[in-house]
Amino acid sequence: MLLAERCNTKRNRGWISVWIILCILLGLLSRSSLPLPTFFHAYGGDTLWASMFYFIFLWLLPDRKASFILIVTIIFSFMIEFSQMIDVAWLNALRQTPLCLLLGQGFLMSDLLCYIVGAVLAFVLDQYVIFKKNQRI
């Protein structure tokens, strides 16, 4: 059984907020024109997007089991990705706004793998860094 699931102690929303902001900043960096590795530019944003949503769900539901948050994040991410296959005028118009950072544009199978990796990385951080840090406080 995982550390966060064994203990009823609430997670610290302050630390979770820091991780959300870090994911946003690194995600925007992955979309920049800075000379970073091509792999980071290609897959970093989608991976960090899923990590960010793991932490958002964790912030909203700090008492839920980490495994629940992981599953919700993956399902949510897949729903967003599959929604990109829907071609309706109002949804396409919405994707042309800054909201497209959340909704994305164009279905890519590789994004699904990025979402799984990002959610699992956030899950591991939650279990062995964030939650463990709260135990010392």
Side-chain angles (χ1 to χ4, degrees):
M1 193 182 279
L2 298 169
L3 181 63
E5 293 177 350
R6 282 189 298 223
C7 185
N8 292 328
T9 304
K10 213 174 190 182
R11 292 174 179 94
N12 183 316
R13 282 188 169 150
W15 281 112
I16 297 169
S17 298
V18 168
W19 285 100
I20 291 169
I21 292 166
L22 185 62
C23 286
I24 291 169
L25 294 174
L26 289 173
L28 291 172
L29 185 65
S30 76
R31 301 297 190 225
S32 74
S33 59
L34 292 173
L36 297 167
T38 305
F39 188 81
F40 182 68
H41 281 296
Y43 304 109
D46 296 316
T47 304
L48 288 159
W49 184 91
S51 295
M52 176 192 69
F53 270 101
Y54 177 92
F55 293 125
I56 288 172
F57 290 131
L58 189 63
W59 192 92
L60 293 170
L61 307 164
D63 292 329
R64 296 304 299 252
K65 290 184 176 185
S67 56
F68 174 82
I69 301 293
L70 176 65
I71 291 166
V72 167
T73 302
I74 292 171
I75 290 171
F76 175 78
S77 300
F78 275 44
M79 286 173 51
I80 293 291
E81 189 65 25
F82 284 113
S83 77
Q84 295 171 17
M85 297 169 69
I86 300 169
D87 188 22
V88 291
W90 68 269
L91 194 52
N92 292 337
L94 192 60
R95 288 189 180 113
Q96 300 305 317
T97 68
L99 194 59
C100 77
L101 290 173
L102 298 179
L103 296 177
Q105 292 182 334
F107 176 84
L108 290 173
M109 196 66 118
S110 62
D111 287 353
L112 299 176
L113 181 59
C114 289
Y115 298 151
I116 292 170
V117 170
V120 169
L121 285 173
F123 172 83
V124 169
L125 277 169
D126 174 32
Q127 294 299 287
Y128 299 104
V129 177
I130 298 171
F131 193 79
K132 195 171 186 179
K133 182 180 213 72
N134 291 338
Q135 292 300 305
R136 288 186 233 137
I137 295 173

